[in-house]
Amino acid sequence: MATVPELDSEMIAFHSDENDLFFEVDGLQKMKSCFQSLDLSYPDESIQLQISKQDLNKSFRQVVSVIVAVEKLWNTPVPCPWTFQDEDLRTFFSFIFEEEPIFCDSWDGELIVADAPIRQLHCRLRDEQQKCLVLSDPCELKALHLNGQNINQQVVFSMSFVQGETSNNKIPVALGLKGKNLYLSCVMKGDTPTLQLESVDPKQYPKKKMEKRFVFNKIEVKTKVEFESAQFPNWYISTSQAEHKPVFLGNNSGQDLVDFTMESVSS
């Protein structure tokens, strides 16, 4: 988060009562302000800018007043030997604003750095045969055809865009079930990578840096999408050709269905 340090008293030679001078319609009053590596004065001495090497330490209102003064300089008809450009103002902001992390209290009383807001998309998925994904057992997804009122049984995923290895055709995402504390994850069971629904703490998930077992590389193939496990490359979320079979992690052998159509759902 960007914070605004206060400007030093020598940085700007006016305070809040004098800020009104910058908003007068009839003209500019005599004032002094400062920028790094800038020394500018007008021939009639109506405006003067001076250099100060002091640390910035004044209020945000006064910083805004400096910017308003610069805007006045742009619009004044008095000839000036040096012209302000957008790049010049950008250099000033690096001295005005400081970037700091956001801290919050953890449950054990220690300070931790909070994640930035996570972009999410709610969606439904269907395989190549238009089978829908439904929550069969408490922690198992199955693929089957639905119609009529049964269509409401299909699950809605909360797709979170998370950290991972991003490339031109791969976007790292995590797939949670909307309204439930369940996320698809990939673990090794025996010697086989396995897809499961894992229960998580809703106070900690979703987060920007998800554990690798939760991360899938979303790959767009024409109008379809595939979901490759980040933990086990070349293993994909798959469905069977048969009806009412569990959704599983397959190695794209050609017999399993790995391509899905994705339908966005309003929040």
Side-chain angles (χ1 to χ4, degrees):
M1 174 180 286
T3 60
V4 184
E6 293 191 344
L7 300 179
D8 190 273
S9 59
E10 294 182 23
M11 189 67 183
I12 303 177
F14 52 84
H15 41 79
S16 58
D17 293 339
E18 296 172 344
N19 287 347
D20 296 337
L21 297 177
F22 292 112
F23 300 91
E24 289 184 357
V25 177
D26 297 333
L28 295 170
Q29 300 294 326
K30 191 168 185 177
M31 58 188 171
K32 293 183 179 181
S33 182
C34 317
F35 301 99
Q36 182 169 348
S37 67
L38 175 63
D39 189 0
L40 172 65
S41 60
Y42 270 42
D44 61 357
E45 297 185 353
S46 61
I47 298 176
Q48 292 181 351
L49 298 177
Q50 298 179 348
I51 298 173
S52 172
K53 299 186 180 298
Q54 300 293 326
D55 293 334
L56 309 182
N57 190 25
K58 277 286 182 183
S59 68
F60 182 73
R61 175 181 173 86
Q62 291 171 318
V63 173
V64 173
S65 299
V66 173
I67 297 174
V68 172
V70 172
E71 291 290 338
K72 289 283 189 175
L73 288 174
W74 272 352
N75 297 326
T76 184
V78 180
C80 178
W82 187 79
T83 305
F84 282 105
Q85 302 294 333
D86 288 342
E87 307 82 59
D88 303 316
L89 286 180
R90 276 191 220 107
T91 61
F92 301 152
F93 290 159
S94 63
F95 296 98
I96 296 174
F97 296 100
E98 296 175 358
E99 187 171 320
E100 294 184 357
I102 304 174
F103 292 93
C104 63
D105 292 329
S106 65
W107 290 107
D108 57 6
E110 296 180 359
L111 286 178
I112 58 174
V113 179
D115 279 329
I118 301 173
R119 185 164 67 93
Q120 287 189 312
L121 172 68
H122 295 117
C123 61
R124 295 189 180 98
L125 298 174
R126 294 189 184 187
D127 67 12
E128 295 177 69
Q129 295 180 349
Q130 294 301 301
K131 294 197 296 294
C132 302
L133 306 186
V134 301
L135 187 62
S136 177
D137 296 327
C139 289
E140 184 178 64
L141 287 177
K142 288 187 177 180
L144 64 154
H145 288 97
L146 297 176
N147 51 48
Q149 293 182 347
N150 293 333
I151 200 72
N152 294 326
Q153 295 179 16
Q154 61 183 322
V155 298
V156 176
F157 290 96
S158 293
M159 182 185 296
S160 303
F161 294 83
V162 299
Q163 290 182 1
E165 297 180 5
T166 304
S167 64
N168 291 336
N169 64 334
K170 293 184 178 182
I171 301 174
V173 299
L175 293 170
L177 271 58
K178 183 181 178 183
K180 301 181 181 295
N181 304 323
L182 296 172
Y183 276 82
L184 286 174
S185 67
C186 302
V187 296
M188 186 68 76
K189 290 188 177 180
D191 57 355
T192 305
T194 303
L195 184 71
Q196 65 177 14
L197 277 174
E198 183 174 334
S199 179
V200 299
D201 183 351
K203 296 175 181 176
Q204 298 184 21
Y205 293 86
K207 55 186 178 180
K208 189 69 175 176
K209 191 174 182 179
M210 298 283 284
E211 290 79 6
K212 199 170 185 178
R213 68 181 184 277
F214 293 113
V215 180
F216 295 89
N217 296 316
K218 183 170 79 73
I219 305 170
E220 295 188 5
V221 182
K222 297 182 179 179
T223 59
K224 307 288 186 180
V225 291
E226 298 174 353
F227 296 95
E228 179 193 31
S229 169
Q231 184 86 332
F232 305 106
N234 299 318
W235 288 77
Y236 299 81
I237 295 177
S238 307
T239 59
S240 173
Q241 298 276 354
E243 181 86 1
H244 216 283
K245 295 294 182 180
V247 180
F248 61 97
L249 202 63
N251 59 358
N252 199 12
S253 62
Q255 298 179 348
D256 306 324
L257 306 178
V258 299
D259 291 335
F260 294 86
T261 55
M262 189 173 71
E263 174 192 3
S264 296
V265 178
S266 61
S267 302

